[in-house]
Amino acid sequence: MTAAAPPAWNLFKQIFADHWDGFKRAHPRYDRRYYDGLVEKMLGCGNPDQMGYIDYRCLRCGEGTHRVAMSCKSSLCLRCAKVYVDTWVSQVSQMLHEGVIYRHIVLTMPALLRTTFYQNAKVLLSAFMRCGVTCLDAVFTRVSGRALKGGYIVVIQTHGRNGQYHPHLHIIATSGGWDRQAQQWVHLDYVPYPLLRKQWQWHLLTMLRQTIKTQEIKRLVDTCYTRYREGFVTNVQKGDVPARSQSLATYLAKYVVSPPISLRRIDRYDGHRVTYHYRSHKSERVERETVAVYTFIGRMIQHVFPKGFQRIRYYGVQATKTFAKLRGVIQAALAKVQGFVKGAIKIIAPLTYRQRYQQSTGRDPLRCPHCRAEMGVWKIWHPKYGVIYDELEVIARGKYASPTPRAAPPGSAGRTVRPAARGISLSLFDLR
């Protein structure tokens, strides 16, 4: 009988465990402590002895226990990606202005520029994000005839559907902008596609030429103007209020914060080659690709951003420092407009570990299976800091001691007695 194939998560970890050292020798660019740390954390994710853990125990009967391994939060870890997406959705859903219609805009670049961006990622990626904002402000101003400041949540994504390097911007943009001089919100029903294409080409190439001042870049820019006379490819989805898809943030999450590959897309790994599938943009069909293991690792690791890089940024009326200040002003201005949409934004609370566990298994992990009482934190251990919390030590220090004195038993010497545990009888159950 043939053994069952291991889960995709184990496959992904196994690929890196088997070949990471060899990959670094073949590609010295990634032979850095930063990348080693990401891989090490990813391989240890889910292992309580390596990552640390939180122990829960039923404080009523002492029988029910549950251990939760701490997550690695590595940007390379596909296991942590789902939590990251949920957190992002919660954050973004709270950063949308009620009544404002938002559009999803994608700004791309031709294949001719991708190698340049890969080789100069440290200096180009941040400028790339700012460039997209400058471009949209210019387009909004041109269309309206007023100096408008739009609101933008910009997410940079560097991977295409097959995992290759393809930097592009996903932007949640307001359909219009704030006219500061008139103290008025100006709504735009549409964005002229040809204008956006030409404007994006000009802003991107100007940024590239100003950031990397070499003759080679100058020739590359000239080639782009000659070859792409209609401008660069952009995609503007029809403006839609978030209520129609429950939440614009939820709708976009799979596009803007998804990892280079999902676990279910890994089909096979034989020790030397990896087979995975993806839906092609060109054919709109599912296609499979088999690549050498070093190629697969390269396609994953190349999308890790430099340490400290913020891949999600807020600009204009969505900027964190001005959001709260402008929210009231924009609401007052929109209230005068007939098309104001009330309740369009659905605030999504972040899911806790307990809620995510219940969603996936249908079982409450912190409910004691023996007495059905709710379990409490018993012990927290971290591999670097050791024991952070120990309930047994807290009990020994008198956590449950009541400050209220009680009368001495009849016939005693009359001394006041204090109860040891708030009137609750605690059994010292077996801790092994």
Side-chain angles (χ1 to χ4, degrees):
M1 179 182 293
T2 304
W9 168 241
N10 289 340
L11 279 180
F12 189 79
K13 293 178 69 172
Q14 194 62 48
I15 291 169
F16 276 83
D18 292 346
H19 298 283
W20 174 244
D21 289 337
F23 175 81
K24 289 190 299 180
R25 289 192 293 269
H27 302 275
R29 168 181 176 148
Y30 296 103
D31 190 7
R32 301 287 187 273
R33 181 180 299 178
Y34 173 59
Y35 294 106
D36 280 337
L38 293 178
V39 173
E40 182 179 356
K41 287 196 296 183
M42 180 268 291
L43 293 178
C45 189
N47 186 335
D49 294 331
Q50 294 186 37
M51 303 306 301
Y53 57 84
I54 302 176
D55 272 343
Y56 291 86
R57 192 158 197 163
C58 180
L59 299 182
R60 176 187 290 177
C61 70
E63 296 295 329
T65 62
H66 184 74
R67 172 168 289 186
V68 181
M70 294 182 184
S71 60
C72 70
K73 298 179 177 62
S74 167
S75 57
L76 186 64
C77 182
L78 301 188
R79 188 173 187 175
C80 294
K82 178 63 170 62
V83 179
Y84 178 76
V85 169
D86 289 344
T87 302
W88 182 84
V89 168
S90 173
Q91 291 173 347
V92 171
S93 70
Q94 299 177 57
M95 290 296 293
L96 299 178
H97 289 284
E98 184 181 7
V100 176
I101 295 176
Y102 289 82
R103 283 189 174 93
H104 177 202
I105 299 176
V106 183
L107 302 178
T108 71
M109 68 174 64
L112 190 64
L113 297 178
R114 294 172 190 170
T115 300
T116 299
F117 270 74
Y118 174 74
Q119 295 172 342
N120 301 275
K122 287 186 177 181
V123 295
L124 286 179
L125 292 185
S126 290
F128 182 47
M129 299 177 77
R130 293 191 297 269
C131 183
V133 171
T134 304
C135 171
L136 291 181
D137 270 345
V139 170
F140 289 178
T141 298
R142 181 87 170 267
V143 172
S144 67
R146 307 186 189 186
L148 297 185
K149 175 64 69 175
Y152 314 102
I153 301 175
V154 183
V155 185
I156 187 169
Q157 194 176 66
T158 58
H159 59 84
R161 291 188 175 182
N162 64 345
Q164 294 184 347
Y165 199 76
H166 179 198
H168 55 285
L169 300 178
H170 287 268
I171 303 178
I172 302 176
T174 55
S175 294
W178 179 250
D179 184 341
R180 180 179 299 177
Q181 184 175 358
Q183 290 291 290
Q184 187 178 39
W185 182 263
V186 179
H187 175 72
L188 299 178
D189 290 322
Y190 74 101
V191 176
Y193 186 64
L195 173 63
L196 179 59
R197 290 190 60 160
K198 294 292 289 184
Q199 284 285 318
W200 174 233
Q201 180 187 44
W202 185 85
H203 280 87
L204 179 59
L205 294 180
T206 300
M207 180 277 293
L208 184 60
R209 185 166 48 196
Q210 293 176 348
T211 305
I212 305 179
K213 302 176 181 179
T214 64
Q215 288 299 316
E216 181 181 356
I217 293 298
K218 185 178 180 181
R219 288 192 295 269
L220 186 61
V221 168
D222 292 340
T223 300
C224 286
Y225 277 121
T226 303
R227 185 174 300 181
Y228 304 98
R229 297 187 179 277
E230 300 300 319
F232 291 161
V233 174
T234 60
N235 181 23
V236 183
Q237 296 189 1
K238 183 180 179 181
D240 203 0
V241 294
R244 295 181 188 172
S245 58
Q246 295 301 312
S247 168
L248 185 62
T250 302
Y251 169 71
L252 294 177
K254 63 180 180 179
Y255 295 108
V256 299
V257 293
S258 59
I261 193 171
S262 62
L263 300 178
R264 66 178 181 274
R265 287 171 48 199
I266 302 176
D267 300 320
R268 186 169 181 269
Y269 164 58
D270 62 6
H272 303 284
R273 303 181 71 80
V274 181
T275 300
Y276 62 96
H277 65 271
Y278 62 94
R279 180 171 291 276
S280 171
H281 267 300
K282 293 182 179 180
S283 65
E284 287 301 327
R285 294 185 301 181
V286 174
E287 298 185 5
R288 281 177 169 75
E289 189 168 352
T290 300
V291 297
V293 68
Y294 283 4
T295 300
F296 179 81
I297 293 177
R299 288 186 179 180
M300 299 299 107
I301 200 71
Q302 69 181 345
H303 303 299
V304 172
F305 291 99
K307 187 175 183 179
F309 184 88
Q310 298 295 323
R311 64 174 299 200
I312 303 174
R313 304 184 186 185
Y314 304 83
Y315 297 92
V317 299
Q318 296 294 156
T320 306
K321 63 180 180 180
T322 59
F323 178 80
K325 179 181 178 181
L326 288 176
R327 168 175 267 176
V329 179
I330 291 176
Q331 294 300 303
L334 284 172
K336 302 175 183 179
V337 181
Q338 185 177 359
F340 178 70
V341 183
K342 291 187 176 181
I345 305 303
K346 179 181 179 182
I347 302 301
I348 302 174
L351 295 177
T352 63
Y353 161 79
R354 187 175 187 176
Q355 291 169 328
R356 289 194 300 270
Y357 194 100
Q358 284 180 296
Q359 282 186 356
S360 60
T361 67
R363 186 174 65 86
D364 186 346
L366 303 186
R367 185 68 59 187
C368 177
H370 301 279
C371 69
R372 307 307 298 166
E374 184 172 334
M375 292 187 280
V377 176
W378 183 255
K379 185 177 182 181
I380 302 176
W381 179 83
H382 190 275
K384 181 178 180 180
Y385 304 107
V387 176
I388 299 175
Y389 179 83
D390 191 325
E391 179 72 5
L392 209 57
E393 291 184 1
V394 174
I395 293 174
R397 291 199 301 267
K399 171 183 177 182
Y400 299 102
S402 172
T404 305
R406 68 186 184 191
S412 68
R415 201 170 49 173
T416 299
V417 179
R418 295 181 183 273
R422 248 193 291 183
I424 301 175
S425 177
L426 294 178
S427 59
L428 295 179
F429 37 77
D430 185 11
L431 299 179
R432 290 176 294 177

